[in-house]
Amino acid sequence: MATEIRKISYSDFRKHLGTEMKFVHEEMGHLWLFQHGHPRGVVIPMRDEAVLHRAVGLNPVESFHRAMVACDRTIAAINERSRWVSTEVMTQPGHMWPALGMTDESYAQWRAMDRSRG
């Protein structure tokens, strides 16, 4: 779910402090504080502060590289899993085991086809 961002002036923030802090705390929203039409600060939930704290001082090139490596590993794992789930495994010549992750209906179809083969 995307984080909701609200723009609010300092004076409105002071008037509705309780309501706006409830928005930040309970709905995990972000408040952008404006003064005379210019952005001056942001109020964020503590959950996002932990992420921000880790990100401060990181080299963006290194962060991007780490994200790309993690993405490549995830894609490789998905491809590897789909390779094993979608194929039958031959244990002995002429005898096949069903693919992993079959539903009851697909297993019944596979079993009927296996019986007709041999």
PDB file of all heavy atoms in Angstrom, residues 80-116:
ATOM      1  N   GLU A  80      14.088 -20.875 -10.923  1.00  0.00           N
ATOM      2  CA  GLU A  80      14.486 -22.212 -10.484  1.00  0.00           C
ATOM      3  C   GLU A  80      13.301 -22.972  -9.908  1.00  0.00           C
ATOM      4  O   GLU A  80      13.091 -24.145 -10.207  1.00  0.00           O
ATOM      5  CB  GLU A  80      15.599 -22.106  -9.445  1.00  0.00           C
ATOM      6  CG  GLU A  80      16.118 -23.429  -8.949  1.00  0.00           C
ATOM      7  CD  GLU A  80      16.924 -24.207  -9.982  1.00  0.00           C
ATOM      8  OE1 GLU A  80      17.320 -23.632 -11.002  1.00  0.00           O
ATOM      9  OE2 GLU A  80      17.152 -25.403  -9.758  1.00  0.00           O
ATOM     10  N   ARG A  81      12.490 -22.296  -9.109  1.00  0.00           N
ATOM     11  CA  ARG A  81      11.322 -22.949  -8.530  1.00  0.00           C
ATOM     12  C   ARG A  81      10.326 -23.339  -9.617  1.00  0.00           C
ATOM     13  O   ARG A  81       9.791 -24.443  -9.611  1.00  0.00           O
ATOM     14  CB  ARG A  81      10.632 -22.046  -7.516  1.00  0.00           C
ATOM     15  CG  ARG A  81       9.461 -22.734  -6.843  1.00  0.00           C
ATOM     16  CD  ARG A  81       8.756 -21.837  -5.849  1.00  0.00           C
ATOM     17  NE  ARG A  81       7.750 -22.548  -5.117  1.00  0.00           N
ATOM     18  CZ  ARG A  81       6.554 -22.881  -5.594  1.00  0.00           C
ATOM     19  NH1 ARG A  81       6.214 -22.597  -6.822  1.00  0.00           N
ATOM     20  NH2 ARG A  81       5.682 -23.523  -4.837  1.00  0.00           N
ATOM     21  N   SER A  82      10.098 -22.451 -10.573  1.00  0.00           N
ATOM     22  CA  SER A  82       9.137 -22.781 -11.636  1.00  0.00           C
ATOM     23  C   SER A  82       9.643 -23.927 -12.498  1.00  0.00           C
ATOM     24  O   SER A  82       8.857 -24.709 -13.019  1.00  0.00           O
ATOM     25  CB  SER A  82       8.840 -21.550 -12.495  1.00  0.00           C
ATOM     26  OG  SER A  82       9.993 -21.171 -13.214  1.00  0.00           O
ATOM     27  N   ARG A  83      10.954 -24.045 -12.622  1.00  0.00           N
ATOM     28  CA  ARG A  83      11.511 -25.159 -13.391  1.00  0.00           C
ATOM     29  C   ARG A  83      11.206 -26.488 -12.714  1.00  0.00           C
ATOM     30  O   ARG A  83      10.867 -27.464 -13.360  1.00  0.00           O
ATOM     31  CB  ARG A  83      13.021 -24.985 -13.531  1.00  0.00           C
ATOM     32  CG  ARG A  83      13.681 -26.000 -14.421  1.00  0.00           C
ATOM     33  CD  ARG A  83      15.126 -25.626 -14.642  1.00  0.00           C
ATOM     34  NE  ARG A  83      15.917 -25.834 -13.444  1.00  0.00           N
ATOM     35  CZ  ARG A  83      16.634 -26.939 -13.215  1.00  0.00           C
ATOM     36  NH1 ARG A  83      16.655 -27.897 -14.094  1.00  0.00           N
ATOM     37  NH2 ARG A  83      17.317 -27.067 -12.110  1.00  0.00           N
ATOM     38  N   TRP A  84      11.273 -26.512 -11.380  1.00  0.00           N
ATOM     39  CA  TRP A  84      11.014 -27.750 -10.664  1.00  0.00           C
ATOM     40  C   TRP A  84       9.531 -28.023 -10.499  1.00  0.00           C
ATOM     41  O   TRP A  84       9.103 -29.172 -10.487  1.00  0.00           O
ATOM     42  CB  TRP A  84      11.683 -27.722  -9.291  1.00  0.00           C
ATOM     43  CG  TRP A  84      13.146 -27.938  -9.380  1.00  0.00           C
ATOM     44  CD1 TRP A  84      14.119 -26.991  -9.287  1.00  0.00           C
ATOM     45  CD2 TRP A  84      13.817 -29.163  -9.638  1.00  0.00           C
ATOM     46  NE1 TRP A  84      15.356 -27.550  -9.464  1.00  0.00           N
ATOM     47  CE2 TRP A  84      15.198 -28.892  -9.682  1.00  0.00           C
ATOM     48  CE3 TRP A  84      13.394 -30.465  -9.850  1.00  0.00           C
ATOM     49  CZ2 TRP A  84      16.147 -29.878  -9.906  1.00  0.00           C
ATOM     50  CZ3 TRP A  84      14.336 -31.441 -10.072  1.00  0.00           C
ATOM     51  CH2 TRP A  84      15.694 -31.151 -10.108  1.00  0.00           C
ATOM     52  N   VAL A  85       8.732 -26.988 -10.361  1.00  0.00           N
ATOM     53  CA  VAL A  85       7.300 -27.182 -10.147  1.00  0.00           C
ATOM     54  C   VAL A  85       6.609 -27.629 -11.419  1.00  0.00           C
ATOM     55  O   VAL A  85       5.700 -28.449 -11.392  1.00  0.00           O
ATOM     56  CB  VAL A  85       6.654 -25.885  -9.607  1.00  0.00           C
ATOM     57  CG1 VAL A  85       5.156 -25.957  -9.630  1.00  0.00           C
ATOM     58  CG2 VAL A  85       7.143 -25.631  -8.197  1.00  0.00           C
ATOM     59  N   SER A  86       7.059 -27.150 -12.557  1.00  0.00           N
ATOM     60  CA  SER A  86       6.323 -27.405 -13.789  1.00  0.00           C
ATOM     61  C   SER A  86       6.806 -28.629 -14.550  1.00  0.00           C
ATOM     62  O   SER A  86       6.315 -28.896 -15.639  1.00  0.00           O
ATOM     63  CB  SER A  86       6.423 -26.175 -14.697  1.00  0.00           C
ATOM     64  OG  SER A  86       7.777 -25.971 -15.056  1.00  0.00           O
ATOM     65  N   THR A  87       7.745 -29.384 -14.032  1.00  0.00           N
ATOM     66  CA  THR A  87       8.239 -30.548 -14.759  1.00  0.00           C
ATOM     67  C   THR A  87       8.047 -31.809 -13.943  1.00  0.00           C
ATOM     68  O   THR A  87       8.053 -31.780 -12.721  1.00  0.00           O
ATOM     69  CB  THR A  87       9.746 -30.409 -15.078  1.00  0.00           C
ATOM     70  OG1 THR A  87      10.455 -30.286 -13.851  1.00  0.00           O
ATOM     71  CG2 THR A  87      10.020 -29.218 -15.956  1.00  0.00           C
ATOM     72  N   GLU A  88       7.872 -32.914 -14.638  1.00  0.00           N
ATOM     73  CA  GLU A  88       7.802 -34.203 -13.973  1.00  0.00           C
ATOM     74  C   GLU A  88       9.220 -34.708 -13.773  1.00  0.00           C
ATOM     75  O   GLU A  88      10.139 -34.351 -14.498  1.00  0.00           O
ATOM     76  CB  GLU A  88       7.014 -35.190 -14.834  1.00  0.00           C
ATOM     77  CG  GLU A  88       5.556 -34.818 -14.997  1.00  0.00           C
ATOM     78  CD  GLU A  88       4.823 -35.783 -15.894  1.00  0.00           C
ATOM     79  OE1 GLU A  88       5.472 -36.440 -16.722  1.00  0.00           O
ATOM     80  OE2 GLU A  88       3.604 -35.888 -15.748  1.00  0.00           O
ATOM     81  N   VAL A  89       9.389 -35.545 -12.783  1.00  0.00           N
ATOM     82  CA  VAL A  89      10.707 -36.075 -12.467  1.00  0.00           C
ATOM     83  C   VAL A  89      10.729 -37.554 -12.835  1.00  0.00           C
ATOM     84  O   VAL A  89       9.879 -38.328 -12.381  1.00  0.00           O
ATOM     85  CB  VAL A  89      11.024 -35.895 -10.965  1.00  0.00           C
ATOM     86  CG1 VAL A  89      12.380 -36.483 -10.636  1.00  0.00           C
ATOM     87  CG2 VAL A  89      10.957 -34.437 -10.591  1.00  0.00           C
ATOM     88  N   MET A  90      11.707 -37.952 -13.661  1.00  0.00           N
ATOM     89  CA  MET A  90      11.820 -39.353 -14.052  1.00  0.00           C
ATOM     90  C   MET A  90      12.750 -40.054 -13.058  1.00  0.00           C
ATOM     91  O   MET A  90      13.878 -39.643 -12.860  1.00  0.00           O
ATOM     92  CB  MET A  90      12.376 -39.477 -15.469  1.00  0.00           C
ATOM     93  CG  MET A  90      12.448 -40.917 -15.948  1.00  0.00           C
ATOM     94  SD  MET A  90      12.980 -41.044 -17.644  1.00  0.00           S
ATOM     95  CE  MET A  90      11.501 -40.564 -18.486  1.00  0.00           C
ATOM     96  N   THR A  91      12.241 -41.102 -12.409  1.00  0.00           N
ATOM     97  CA  THR A  91      13.057 -41.828 -11.445  1.00  0.00           C
ATOM     98  C   THR A  91      13.641 -43.091 -12.059  1.00  0.00           C
ATOM     99  O   THR A  91      14.783 -43.422 -11.832  1.00  0.00           O
ATOM    100  CB  THR A  91      12.224 -42.202 -10.213  1.00  0.00           C
ATOM    101  OG1 THR A  91      11.084 -42.943 -10.644  1.00  0.00           O
ATOM    102  CG2 THR A  91      11.803 -40.957  -9.478  1.00  0.00           C
ATOM    103  N   GLN A  92      12.848 -43.805 -12.798  1.00  0.00           N
ATOM    104  CA  GLN A  92      13.292 -45.010 -13.486  1.00  0.00           C
ATOM    105  C   GLN A  92      12.824 -44.897 -14.924  1.00  0.00           C
ATOM    106  O   GLN A  92      11.865 -44.183 -15.216  1.00  0.00           O
ATOM    107  CB  GLN A  92      12.683 -46.256 -12.845  1.00  0.00           C
ATOM    108  CG  GLN A  92      13.075 -46.446 -11.403  1.00  0.00           C
ATOM    109  CD  GLN A  92      12.276 -47.561 -10.748  1.00  0.00           C
ATOM    110  OE1 GLN A  92      11.398 -48.158 -11.374  1.00  0.00           O
ATOM    111  NE2 GLN A  92      12.571 -47.838  -9.501  1.00  0.00           N
ATOM    112  N   PRO A  93      13.464 -45.608 -15.834  1.00  0.00           N
ATOM    113  CA  PRO A  93      13.002 -45.532 -17.228  1.00  0.00           C
ATOM    114  C   PRO A  93      11.526 -45.900 -17.349  1.00  0.00           C
ATOM    115  O   PRO A  93      11.093 -46.940 -16.870  1.00  0.00           O
ATOM    116  CB  PRO A  93      13.885 -46.546 -17.950  1.00  0.00           C
ATOM    117  CG  PRO A  93      15.097 -46.681 -17.092  1.00  0.00           C
ATOM    118  CD  PRO A  93      14.648 -46.442 -15.694  1.00  0.00           C
ATOM    119  N   GLY A  94      10.768 -44.991 -17.912  1.00  0.00           N
ATOM    120  CA  GLY A  94       9.339 -45.223 -18.124  1.00  0.00           C
ATOM    121  C   GLY A  94       8.464 -44.912 -16.934  1.00  0.00           C
ATOM    122  O   GLY A  94       7.253 -45.022 -17.019  1.00  0.00           O
ATOM    123  N   HIS A  95       9.024 -44.531 -15.787  1.00  0.00           N
ATOM    124  CA  HIS A  95       8.204 -44.218 -14.612  1.00  0.00           C
ATOM    125  C   HIS A  95       8.434 -42.765 -14.216  1.00  0.00           C
ATOM    126  O   HIS A  95       9.554 -42.347 -14.000  1.00  0.00           O
ATOM    127  CB  HIS A  95       8.554 -45.131 -13.444  1.00  0.00           C
ATOM    128  CG  HIS A  95       7.667 -44.901 -12.260  1.00  0.00           C
ATOM    129  ND1 HIS A  95       6.349 -45.295 -12.253  1.00  0.00           N
ATOM    130  CD2 HIS A  95       7.901 -44.310 -11.075  1.00  0.00           C
ATOM    131  CE1 HIS A  95       5.801 -44.944 -11.096  1.00  0.00           C
ATOM    132  NE2 HIS A  95       6.733 -44.352 -10.359  1.00  0.00           N
ATOM    133  N   MET A  96       7.365 -42.008 -14.122  1.00  0.00           N
ATOM    134  CA  MET A  96       7.452 -40.580 -13.803  1.00  0.00           C
ATOM    135  C   MET A  96       6.752 -40.300 -12.479  1.00  0.00           C
ATOM    136  O   MET A  96       5.758 -40.918 -12.153  1.00  0.00           O
ATOM    137  CB  MET A  96       6.776 -39.746 -14.895  1.00  0.00           C
ATOM    138  CG  MET A  96       7.304 -39.971 -16.296  1.00  0.00           C
ATOM    139  SD  MET A  96       8.937 -39.285 -16.514  1.00  0.00           S
ATOM    140  CE  MET A  96       8.544 -37.584 -16.690  1.00  0.00           C
ATOM    141  N   TRP A  97       7.308 -39.342 -11.745  1.00  0.00           N
ATOM    142  CA  TRP A  97       6.646 -38.818 -10.562  1.00  0.00           C
ATOM    143  C   TRP A  97       5.953 -37.520 -10.952  1.00  0.00           C
ATOM    144  O   TRP A  97       6.419 -36.814 -11.837  1.00  0.00           O
ATOM    145  CB  TRP A  97       7.654 -38.542  -9.449  1.00  0.00           C
ATOM    146  CG  TRP A  97       8.184 -39.787  -8.825  1.00  0.00           C
ATOM    147  CD1 TRP A  97       9.363 -40.399  -9.102  1.00  0.00           C
ATOM    148  CD2 TRP A  97       7.544 -40.584  -7.846  1.00  0.00           C
ATOM    149  NE1 TRP A  97       9.527 -41.529  -8.362  1.00  0.00           N
ATOM    150  CE2 TRP A  97       8.395 -41.660  -7.569  1.00  0.00           C
ATOM    151  CE3 TRP A  97       6.335 -40.508  -7.175  1.00  0.00           C
ATOM    152  CZ2 TRP A  97       8.079 -42.651  -6.648  1.00  0.00           C
ATOM    153  CZ3 TRP A  97       6.029 -41.493  -6.257  1.00  0.00           C
ATOM    154  CH2 TRP A  97       6.891 -42.544  -5.998  1.00  0.00           C
ATOM    155  N   PRO A  98       4.842 -37.181 -10.313  1.00  0.00           N
ATOM    156  CA  PRO A  98       4.143 -35.952 -10.699  1.00  0.00           C
ATOM    157  C   PRO A  98       4.948 -34.709 -10.346  1.00  0.00           C
ATOM    158  O   PRO A  98       5.823 -34.749  -9.490  1.00  0.00           O
ATOM    159  CB  PRO A  98       2.843 -36.010  -9.892  1.00  0.00           C
ATOM    160  CG  PRO A  98       3.162 -36.865  -8.721  1.00  0.00           C
ATOM    161  CD  PRO A  98       4.183 -37.875  -9.205  1.00  0.00           C
ATOM    162  N   ALA A  99       4.616 -33.626 -11.018  1.00  0.00           N
ATOM    163  CA  ALA A  99       5.254 -32.341 -10.727  1.00  0.00           C
ATOM    164  C   ALA A  99       4.884 -31.887  -9.326  1.00  0.00           C
ATOM    165  O   ALA A  99       3.817 -32.225  -8.808  1.00  0.00           O
ATOM    166  CB  ALA A  99       4.810 -31.305 -11.750  1.00  0.00           C
ATOM    167  N   LEU A 100       5.755 -31.122  -8.695  1.00  0.00           N
ATOM    168  CA  LEU A 100       5.477 -30.598  -7.361  1.00  0.00           C
ATOM    169  C   LEU A 100       4.431 -29.491  -7.441  1.00  0.00           C
ATOM    170  O   LEU A 100       4.334 -28.786  -8.437  1.00  0.00           O
ATOM    171  CB  LEU A 100       6.761 -30.023  -6.761  1.00  0.00           C
ATOM    172  CG  LEU A 100       7.898 -31.020  -6.575  1.00  0.00           C
ATOM    173  CD1 LEU A 100       9.147 -30.286  -6.136  1.00  0.00           C
ATOM    174  CD2 LEU A 100       7.518 -32.060  -5.553  1.00  0.00           C
ATOM    175  N   GLY A 101       3.669 -29.338  -6.397  1.00  0.00           N
ATOM    176  CA  GLY A 101       2.722 -28.240  -6.306  1.00  0.00           C
ATOM    177  C   GLY A 101       1.444 -28.436  -7.101  1.00  0.00           C
ATOM    178  O   GLY A 101       0.785 -27.470  -7.450  1.00  0.00           O
ATOM    179  N   MET A 102       1.080 -29.675  -7.402  1.00  0.00           N
ATOM    180  CA  MET A 102      -0.155 -29.920  -8.155  1.00  0.00           C
ATOM    181  C   MET A 102      -1.377 -29.761  -7.251  1.00  0.00           C
ATOM    182  O   MET A 102      -1.324 -30.084  -6.071  1.00  0.00           O
ATOM    183  CB  MET A 102      -0.165 -31.336  -8.729  1.00  0.00           C
ATOM    184  CG  MET A 102       0.754 -31.579  -9.872  1.00  0.00           C
ATOM    185  SD  MET A 102       0.521 -33.267 -10.450  1.00  0.00           S
ATOM    186  CE  MET A 102       0.654 -33.016 -12.188  1.00  0.00           C
ATOM    187  N   THR A 103      -2.460 -29.313  -7.859  1.00  0.00           N
ATOM    188  CA  THR A 103      -3.734 -29.292  -7.145  1.00  0.00           C
ATOM    189  C   THR A 103      -4.351 -30.684  -7.253  1.00  0.00           C
ATOM    190  O   THR A 103      -3.877 -31.529  -8.005  1.00  0.00           O
ATOM    191  CB  THR A 103      -4.689 -28.257  -7.760  1.00  0.00           C
ATOM    192  OG1 THR A 103      -4.960 -28.647  -9.107  1.00  0.00           O
ATOM    193  CG2 THR A 103      -4.083 -26.862  -7.730  1.00  0.00           C
ATOM    194  N   ASP A 104      -5.426 -30.909  -6.520  1.00  0.00           N
ATOM    195  CA  ASP A 104      -6.086 -32.218  -6.577  1.00  0.00           C
ATOM    196  C   ASP A 104      -6.591 -32.524  -7.979  1.00  0.00           C
ATOM    197  O   ASP A 104      -6.477 -33.654  -8.462  1.00  0.00           O
ATOM    198  CB  ASP A 104      -7.248 -32.272  -5.583  1.00  0.00           C
ATOM    199  CG  ASP A 104      -6.774 -32.284  -4.136  1.00  0.00           C
ATOM    200  OD1 ASP A 104      -5.583 -32.614  -3.924  1.00  0.00           O
ATOM    201  OD2 ASP A 104      -7.576 -31.976  -3.244  1.00  0.00           O
ATOM    202  N   GLU A 105      -7.140 -31.502  -8.652  1.00  0.00           N
ATOM    203  CA  GLU A 105      -7.673 -31.717  -9.994  1.00  0.00           C
ATOM    204  C   GLU A 105      -6.557 -32.035 -10.993  1.00  0.00           C
ATOM    205  O   GLU A 105      -6.677 -32.937 -11.810  1.00  0.00           O
ATOM    206  CB  GLU A 105      -8.458 -30.479 -10.475  1.00  0.00           C
ATOM    207  CG  GLU A 105      -9.722 -30.200  -9.681  1.00  0.00           C
ATOM    208  CD  GLU A 105      -9.434 -29.427  -8.404  1.00  0.00           C
ATOM    209  OE1 GLU A 105      -8.377 -28.755  -8.319  1.00  0.00           O
ATOM    210  OE2 GLU A 105     -10.243 -29.517  -7.478  1.00  0.00           O
ATOM    211  N   SER A 106      -5.466 -31.267 -10.914  1.00  0.00           N
ATOM    212  CA  SER A 106      -4.370 -31.515 -11.852  1.00  0.00           C
ATOM    213  C   SER A 106      -3.704 -32.858 -11.563  1.00  0.00           C
ATOM    214  O   SER A 106      -3.262 -33.545 -12.478  1.00  0.00           O
ATOM    215  CB  SER A 106      -3.340 -30.386 -11.813  1.00  0.00           C
ATOM    216  OG  SER A 106      -2.762 -30.278 -10.536  1.00  0.00           O
ATOM    217  N   TYR A 107      -3.669 -33.293 -10.288  1.00  0.00           N
ATOM    218  CA  TYR A 107      -3.111 -34.603  -9.977  1.00  0.00           C
ATOM    219  C   TYR A 107      -3.995 -35.709 -10.543  1.00  0.00           C
ATOM    220  O   TYR A 107      -3.494 -36.704 -11.085  1.00  0.00           O
ATOM    221  CB  TYR A 107      -2.940 -34.795  -8.471  1.00  0.00           C
ATOM    222  CG  TYR A 107      -2.446 -36.176  -8.121  1.00  0.00           C
ATOM    223  CD1 TYR A 107      -1.114 -36.517  -8.329  1.00  0.00           C
ATOM    224  CD2 TYR A 107      -3.305 -37.153  -7.618  1.00  0.00           C
ATOM    225  CE1 TYR A 107      -0.650 -37.785  -8.041  1.00  0.00           C
ATOM    226  CE2 TYR A 107      -2.852 -38.420  -7.329  1.00  0.00           C
ATOM    227  CZ  TYR A 107      -1.526 -38.741  -7.538  1.00  0.00           C
ATOM    228  OH  TYR A 107      -1.074 -39.999  -7.266  1.00  0.00           O
ATOM    229  N   ALA A 108      -5.318 -35.550 -10.432  1.00  0.00           N
ATOM    230  CA  ALA A 108      -6.232 -36.561 -10.983  1.00  0.00           C
ATOM    231  C   ALA A 108      -6.051 -36.676 -12.492  1.00  0.00           C
ATOM    232  O   ALA A 108      -6.044 -37.791 -13.046  1.00  0.00           O
ATOM    233  CB  ALA A 108      -7.680 -36.206 -10.633  1.00  0.00           C
ATOM    234  N   GLN A 109      -5.894 -35.550 -13.166  1.00  0.00           N
ATOM    235  CA  GLN A 109      -5.654 -35.581 -14.612  1.00  0.00           C
ATOM    236  C   GLN A 109      -4.324 -36.252 -14.926  1.00  0.00           C
ATOM    237  O   GLN A 109      -4.225 -37.057 -15.849  1.00  0.00           O
ATOM    238  CB  GLN A 109      -5.672 -34.166 -15.192  1.00  0.00           C
ATOM    239  CG  GLN A 109      -7.024 -33.517 -15.164  1.00  0.00           C
ATOM    240  CD  GLN A 109      -6.957 -32.053 -15.557  1.00  0.00           C
ATOM    241  OE1 GLN A 109      -5.881 -31.506 -15.758  1.00  0.00           O
ATOM    242  NE2 GLN A 109      -8.123 -31.422 -15.648  1.00  0.00           N
ATOM    243  N   TRP A 110      -3.289 -35.921 -14.148  1.00  0.00           N
ATOM    244  CA  TRP A 110      -1.979 -36.524 -14.372  1.00  0.00           C
ATOM    245  C   TRP A 110      -2.038 -38.031 -14.144  1.00  0.00           C
ATOM    246  O   TRP A 110      -1.486 -38.808 -14.911  1.00  0.00           O
ATOM    247  CB  TRP A 110      -0.942 -35.909 -13.435  1.00  0.00           C
ATOM    248  CG  TRP A 110       0.400 -36.560 -13.567  1.00  0.00           C
ATOM    249  CD1 TRP A 110       1.373 -36.243 -14.453  1.00  0.00           C
ATOM    250  CD2 TRP A 110       0.894 -37.660 -12.799  1.00  0.00           C
ATOM    251  NE1 TRP A 110       2.454 -37.065 -14.294  1.00  0.00           N
ATOM    252  CE2 TRP A 110       2.183 -37.947 -13.278  1.00  0.00           C
ATOM    253  CE3 TRP A 110       0.376 -38.427 -11.756  1.00  0.00           C
ATOM    254  CZ2 TRP A 110       2.961 -38.971 -12.749  1.00  0.00           C
ATOM    255  CZ3 TRP A 110       1.145 -39.439 -11.228  1.00  0.00           C
ATOM    256  CH2 TRP A 110       2.428 -39.711 -11.723  1.00  0.00           C
ATOM    257  N   ARG A 111      -2.745 -38.439 -13.092  1.00  0.00           N
ATOM    258  CA  ARG A 111      -2.854 -39.862 -12.759  1.00  0.00           C
ATOM    259  C   ARG A 111      -3.571 -40.616 -13.875  1.00  0.00           C
ATOM    260  O   ARG A 111      -3.152 -41.723 -14.256  1.00  0.00           O
ATOM    261  CB  ARG A 111      -3.602 -40.022 -11.432  1.00  0.00           C
ATOM    262  CG  ARG A 111      -3.616 -41.396 -10.909  1.00  0.00           C
ATOM    263  CD  ARG A 111      -2.258 -41.753 -10.349  1.00  0.00           C
ATOM    264  NE  ARG A 111      -2.344 -43.096  -9.806  1.00  0.00           N
ATOM    265  CZ  ARG A 111      -1.378 -43.984  -9.908  1.00  0.00           C
ATOM    266  NH1 ARG A 111      -0.262 -43.689 -10.481  1.00  0.00           N
ATOM    267  NH2 ARG A 111      -1.530 -45.167  -9.382  1.00  0.00           N
ATOM    268  N   ALA A 112      -4.639 -40.029 -14.411  1.00  0.00           N
ATOM    269  CA  ALA A 112      -5.364 -40.668 -15.510  1.00  0.00           C
ATOM    270  C   ALA A 112      -4.458 -40.784 -16.750  1.00  0.00           C
ATOM    271  O   ALA A 112      -4.450 -41.810 -17.429  1.00  0.00           O
ATOM    272  CB  ALA A 112      -6.629 -39.884 -15.831  1.00  0.00           C
ATOM    273  N   MET A 113      -3.690 -39.755 -17.016  1.00  0.00           N
ATOM    274  CA  MET A 113      -2.794 -39.795 -18.166  1.00  0.00           C
ATOM    275  C   MET A 113      -1.663 -40.807 -17.929  1.00  0.00           C
ATOM    276  O   MET A 113      -1.266 -41.544 -18.839  1.00  0.00           O
ATOM    277  CB  MET A 113      -2.196 -38.397 -18.392  1.00  0.00           C
ATOM    278  CG  MET A 113      -1.374 -38.289 -19.651  1.00  0.00           C
ATOM    279  SD  MET A 113      -0.778 -36.599 -19.929  1.00  0.00           S
ATOM    280  CE  MET A 113       0.337 -36.432 -18.557  1.00  0.00           C
ATOM    281  N   ASP A 114      -1.169 -40.897 -16.694  1.00  0.00           N
ATOM    282  CA  ASP A 114      -0.111 -41.845 -16.359  1.00  0.00           C
ATOM    283  C   ASP A 114      -0.598 -43.284 -16.509  1.00  0.00           C
ATOM    284  O   ASP A 114       0.128 -44.148 -16.983  1.00  0.00           O
ATOM    285  CB  ASP A 114       0.384 -41.590 -14.938  1.00  0.00           C
ATOM    286  CG  ASP A 114       1.610 -42.401 -14.589  1.00  0.00           C
ATOM    287  OD1 ASP A 114       2.555 -42.391 -15.401  1.00  0.00           O
ATOM    288  OD2 ASP A 114       1.626 -43.031 -13.526  1.00  0.00           O
ATOM    289  N   ARG A 115      -1.850 -43.546 -16.110  1.00  0.00           N
ATOM    290  CA  ARG A 115      -2.415 -44.894 -16.250  1.00  0.00           C
ATOM    291  C   ARG A 115      -2.585 -45.273 -17.714  1.00  0.00           C
ATOM    292  O   ARG A 115      -2.372 -46.410 -18.093  1.00  0.00           O
ATOM    293  CB  ARG A 115      -3.760 -44.969 -15.549  1.00  0.00           C
ATOM    294  CG  ARG A 115      -3.643 -45.025 -14.057  1.00  0.00           C
ATOM    295  CD  ARG A 115      -4.994 -45.164 -13.405  1.00  0.00           C
ATOM    296  NE  ARG A 115      -4.841 -45.127 -11.951  1.00  0.00           N
ATOM    297  CZ  ARG A 115      -5.785 -44.720 -11.156  1.00  0.00           C
ATOM    298  NH1 ARG A 115      -6.947 -44.294 -11.617  1.00  0.00           N
ATOM    299  NH2 ARG A 115      -5.577 -44.718  -9.851  1.00  0.00           N
ATOM    300  N   SER A 116      -2.942 -44.279 -18.530  1.00  0.00           N
ATOM    301  CA  SER A 116      -3.146 -44.585 -19.957  1.00  0.00           C
ATOM    302  C   SER A 116      -1.804 -44.820 -20.662  1.00  0.00           C
ATOM    303  O   SER A 116      -1.744 -45.515 -21.680  1.00  0.00           O
ATOM    304  CB  SER A 116      -3.900 -43.457 -20.659  1.00  0.00           C
ATOM    305  OG  SER A 116      -3.120 -42.278 -20.681  1.00  0.00           O
TER     306      SER A 116
END
